[in-house]
Amino acid sequence: MLAVTNRTSLSAVGVDTAERFDADASTLSMFAVLQLGIYGAMQIPVGLLLDRYGARPIMTIGMVLMAVGQLAMAFSPNVGIAIAARLLLGAGDAAVFPSVLRLIATWFPAQRGPVMVQMTGILGQLGQIVSVIPLAALLHATSWTIAFGSVAGLGVLFAVLVFALIRNHPPERAADVSVDTSTGAIRVVTSAVDTRVGIRAAWSHPGTRLAFWSHFTTPFAGTAFIMLWGVPFLTVGEGRTQGEAALLMTTLVLVGILIGPFMGQLSSRLPHIRSRGLVLPTIAVQMAAWLAVIAWSGPAPLWLLYALVVALALGGPASMIAFDHARTHNPSHRLSTATGITNSGGFLAGLIAIFLIGLALDLQGAGTPDTYTLDAFRIAFLTQIPLWIVGAIFISLERRRTRVHLGLDEPRRPRGR
């Protein structure tokens, strides 16, 4: 929860951030873009370090890095130091979730792993609500330094607690292993990308490419909305109060939490129609909701904005289906590689979307809170449409190739034969 709070700590204070650093929209985008970029780039190094040292020291270092990043953010006098602070946040954040997954594998029976991972993800997302409501309220009631300094203090506290309480594995075991209590099977837990096979071998399977494009296309709109551009759009563009914006953002998080288990059940029960029955419809609903808000004459009514955040909330659970693809279509020795490729898709699309929205605002001369307009936001959010279209096309292509690879469909015969 604290890691997600740190990750999304600018979500409700984007306007305050722009005013504090006198930053235009493109510069504001760079806060999130570079943070997501370093998060993605650190995944493989974190995996290697986890295999060598285990979860406890890596989580502790991650908490310390996030605390230092938020402390630098609290006192940063200019954009350069603030961006460096977000880089530290991204690096620290990258260490937490893989470490938690490793702790689940080493401390709980293997057959309970999927449920524990789902519960961890659900509880972690509550950190977004912390950043949207209490953190924003604290900032507006006190000051920038106090608000971000308080989050830094929580980071220090949790660094101490993690180091004092967390252990890599139960005391009766000598190494990080996962145990299936039903069969007695024991396997060593590894986190690193499988360099023996390599990324090329994993990418060559159409199921891995299907997973990549599914994760690329489903969550980016929600990521861009909740990480940076949602609250400025709702408050300055749509003219909603800070309280209304907070409720809308909270709805986005809670709907995603509630839908996640149902989406997971459908994915496991309908493995051969995941893309056509779940992923592609999610993309269509998100695009339709955004187009309806953009096309509305004047500020959108509150019910339509709630429909938008519900549509965006579908993206997170739908993106988890991508990991089902990666797991289903890759052997165990290549799973880490395929998972890493899949995970990179969502972060790549998220940082592209965030940057394009900021760039579009700047190009319209609406790059600062004083110049934000509803029409400028509408045009800026249209930059998401090409990402959805490209992603949907590649999902359809790779779905077909995957089904042919599995023998479920016949390959197309060349014309003239």
Side-chain angles (χ1 to χ4, degrees):
M1 283 181 64
L2 182 59
V4 174
T5 299
N6 278 287
R7 183 188 311 166
T8 59
S9 55
L10 294 185
S11 60
V13 296
V15 174
D16 303 85
T17 306
E19 291 175 345
R20 176 178 176 86
F21 298 109
D22 193 23
D24 59 21
S26 296
T27 303
L28 195 60
S29 294
M30 293 307 295
F31 284 99
V33 167
L34 293 174
Q35 181 184 336
L36 287 176
I38 197 69
Y39 182 100
M42 287 296 294
Q43 291 301 302
I44 294 176
V46 164
L48 294 169
L49 291 169
L50 279 171
D51 286 340
R52 183 166 184 177
Y53 300 107
R56 179 194 183 195
I58 304 307
M59 285 185 73
T60 302
I61 293 170
M63 289 293 172
V64 171
L65 286 175
M66 287 190 290
V68 173
Q70 290 290 33
L71 192 62
M73 198 72 183
F75 292 97
S76 55
N78 54 55
V79 169
I81 293 177
I83 288 178
R86 301 309 290 185
L87 290 174
L88 285 173
L89 278 177
D93 184 15
V96 176
F97 191 59
S99 299
V100 175
L101 295 183
R102 191 181 187 90
L103 289 174
I104 290 171
T106 57
W107 277 91
F108 294 91
Q111 59 268 37
R112 288 176 61 189
V115 174
M116 295 301 299
V117 170
Q118 280 281 353
M119 290 302 298
T120 301
I122 287 171
L123 291 173
Q125 293 312 305
L126 296 176
Q128 296 184 13
I129 297 177
V130 175
S131 63
V132 168
I133 300 178
L135 178 60
L138 180 62
L139 186 150
H140 294 138
T142 57
S143 68
W144 178 278
T145 300
I146 291 175
F148 284 91
S150 299
V151 181
L154 279 176
V156 173
L157 172 63
F158 273 80
V160 173
L161 291 174
V162 165
F163 188 78
L165 301 177
I166 297 295
R167 294 296 179 267
N168 290 344
H169 48 256
E172 66 271 15
R173 297 177 196 157
D176 287 5
V177 296
S178 176
V179 179
D180 189 323
T181 54
S182 298
T183 64
I186 300 175
R187 68 175 183 85
V188 176
V189 178
T190 58
S191 306
V193 167
D194 189 347
T195 52
R196 292 174 301 164
V197 176
I199 294 175
R200 182 179 298 178
W203 183 256
S204 67
H205 195 294
T208 304
R209 299 195 298 271
L210 175 61
F212 173 88
W213 287 109
S214 297
H215 201 257
F216 179 96
T217 317
T218 46
F220 73 81
T223 299
F225 197 82
I226 202 154
M227 277 199 72
L228 191 61
W229 292 119
V231 171
F233 167 71
L234 293 171
T235 54
V236 183
E238 291 286 345
R240 296 294 169 180
T241 65
Q242 193 73 30
E244 288 173 328
L247 284 175
L248 285 161
M249 301 293 272
T250 302
T251 300
L252 194 161
V253 176
L254 293 179
V255 169
I257 290 172
L258 293 174
I259 289 176
F262 295 103
M263 193 81 80
Q265 286 291 326
L266 288 172
S267 177
S268 62
R269 293 181 181 180
L270 306 170
H272 297 306
I273 60 170
R274 289 167 177 162
S275 299
R276 190 174 59 187
L278 296 173
V279 173
L280 291 173
T282 295
I283 297 167
V285 168
Q286 289 182 329
M287 191 185 306
W290 255 125
L291 288 174
V293 171
I294 291 170
W296 195 274
S297 177
L302 196 58
W303 65 264
L304 183 55
L305 294 176
Y306 273 104
L308 172 65
V309 297
V310 169
L312 295 179
L314 297 174
S319 72
M320 294 297 102
I321 295 172
F323 296 103
D324 293 335
H325 288 310
R327 184 176 62 253
T328 301
H329 300 301
N330 284 276
S332 58
H333 67 271
R334 206 166 66 201
L335 183 57
S336 293
T337 305
T339 300
I341 292 172
T342 301
N343 202 28
S344 68
F347 286 103
L348 177 62
L351 64 88
I352 291 173
I354 290 170
F355 179 72
L356 287 179
I357 292 167
L359 181 62
L361 287 171
D362 277 343
L363 292 176
Q364 297 174 82
T368 61
D370 292 337
T371 57
Y372 289 161
T373 66
L374 180 56
D375 287 339
F377 272 118
R378 285 170 170 165
I379 293 173
F381 281 115
L382 283 174
T383 59
Q384 299 173 111
I385 302 297
L387 296 177
W388 277 315
I389 292 174
V390 169
I393 290 172
F394 276 104
I395 288 170
S396 300
L397 290 174
E398 298 302 344
R399 177 183 182 274
R400 167 72 181 171
R401 290 167 181 162
T402 302
R403 290 181 63 83
V404 170
H405 185 86
L406 297 175
L408 298 174
D409 289 342
E410 292 291 329
R412 293 178 179 173
R413 294 181 179 180
R415 292 183 179 179
R417 295 187 180 181

